[in-house]
């Protein structure tokens, strides 16, 4: 694959969609020749462990971009851990409401993963769901301001190396799984 292939795929996925009223069209413009971009780098996302090799890879990318003339700063976006907590609260609230339907289409393994993720989370009530949406909107505003200052954020997709097949089915591995996927849940 080439960069052109990746760009073509992103252009298909980056547009507004009528079924998602919150979606926006992401404009994938190249930087002007000689343009110096302000790039945020997050090699070790807060809220859990990050593999040293993964953090090193992100810092290496930051060094390459800095050497190419860009302004690279190591910075944590605002409310990072709050975003992770909100994602968990909102996801589990949705799952709890749809559990009966999910059980009709989801296999035993998937249901076990969801049950593992749900352990230790507070019961969901209407007031809590409404409060999480209010907090999500506040955090969206802080992130919008962050991206106005740092239009690019570079960080790991997963904080830990890929886990073994079916590790997510083992309740004793739930913390490792949530640590691993922590960097991608912020995008949700």
């Amino acid at each position: 694959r080439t960069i052109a292939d990746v760009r073509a795929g992103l252009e298909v996925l980056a547009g507004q969609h009528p079924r998602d009223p919150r979606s926006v069209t992401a404009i994938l413009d190249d930087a002007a020749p000689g343009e110096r971009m302000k790039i945020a780098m997050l090699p070790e996302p807060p809220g859990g462990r990050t593999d040293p090799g993964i953090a090193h890879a992100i810092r290496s990318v930051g060094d390459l971009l800095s050497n190419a003339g860009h302004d690279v700063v190591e910075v944590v976006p605002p409310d990072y851990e709050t975003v992770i907590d909100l994602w968990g609260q909102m996801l589990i609230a949705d799952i709890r409401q749809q559990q009966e339907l999910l059980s009709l289409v989801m296999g035993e393994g998937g249901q076990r993963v969801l049950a593992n993720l749900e352990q230790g989370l507070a019961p969901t009530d209407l007031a809590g769901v409404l409060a999480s949406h209010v907090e999500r909107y506040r955090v969206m505003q802080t992130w919008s301001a962050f991206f106005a200052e740092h239009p690019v954020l570079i960080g790991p997709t997963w904080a830990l190396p890929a886990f073994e097949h079916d590790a997510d089915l083992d309740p004793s591995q739930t913390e490792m799984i949530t640590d691993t996927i922590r960097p991608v849940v912020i995008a949700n």
Side-chain angles (χ1 to χ4, degrees), residues 3-82:
I3 294 298
D5 294 331
V6 173
R7 176 178 289 277
L10 283 173
E11 287 172 350
V12 169
L13 297 173
Q16 188 276 336
H17 195 279
R19 288 177 43 196
D20 183 356
R22 291 187 180 180
S23 65
V24 296
T25 298
I27 300 169
L28 302 173
D29 289 337
D30 290 331
E35 180 181 356
R36 184 182 166 135
M37 297 179 67
K38 189 164 186 181
I39 299 172
M41 177 180 62
L42 184 61
E44 298 179 60
R49 301 172 295 138
T50 301
D51 180 81
I54 291 172
H56 175 74
I58 298 302
R59 286 190 175 98
S60 295
V61 169
D63 290 343
L64 290 169
L65 291 166
S66 182
N67 293 340
H70 298 288
D71 182 15
V72 179
V73 294
E74 190 168 325
V75 62
V76 176
D79 300 303
Y80 193 92
E81 291 180 76
T82 300

Side-chain angles (χ1 to χ4, degrees), residues 47 84 87 117 173-183 185:
I84 294 168
W87 174 80
L117 290 172
Q173 297 299 308
T174 301
E175 183 177 345
M176 182 272 298
I177 302 299
T178 56
D179 268 359
T180 300
I181 66 172
R182 183 176 83 255
V185 301

Side-chain angles (χ1 to χ4, degrees), residues 22 79 82 86 89-90 126-142:
R22 291 187 180 180
D79 300 303
T82 300
L86 280 170
Q89 292 168 20
M90 296 174 86
L126 179 59
V129 170
L130 293 176
S132 66
H133 281 278
V134 169
E135 179 66 359
R136 180 176 185 246
Y137 186 76
R138 183 196 66 77
V139 171
M140 289 168 66
Q141 291 174 322
T142 65

Side-chain angles (χ1 to χ4, degrees), residues 65-135:
L65 291 166
S66 182
N67 293 340
H70 298 288
D71 182 15
V72 179
V73 294
E74 190 168 325
V75 62
V76 176
D79 300 303
Y80 193 92
E81 291 180 76
T82 300
V83 172
I84 294 168
D85 291 341
L86 280 170
W87 174 80
Q89 292 168 20
M90 296 174 86
L91 175 69
I92 292 303
D94 284 350
I95 288 169
R96 286 173 175 161
Q97 290 300 310
Q98 301 299 321
Q99 191 66 46
E100 188 176 325
L101 289 173
L102 288 172
S103 68
L104 298 174
V105 296
M106 185 177 277
E108 181 185 323
Q111 290 181 51
R112 195 171 338 149
V113 170
L114 294 179
N116 293 345
L117 290 172
E118 186 178 4
Q119 293 302 312
L121 292 177
T124 306
D125 62 6
L126 179 59
V129 170
L130 293 176
S132 66
H133 281 278
V134 169
E135 179 66 359

Side-chain angles (χ1 to χ4, degrees), residues 149-164:
E149 185 176 343
H150 307 89
V152 176
L153 172 62
I154 298 172
T157 305
W158 280 16
L160 300 173
F163 46 85
E164 290 187 32

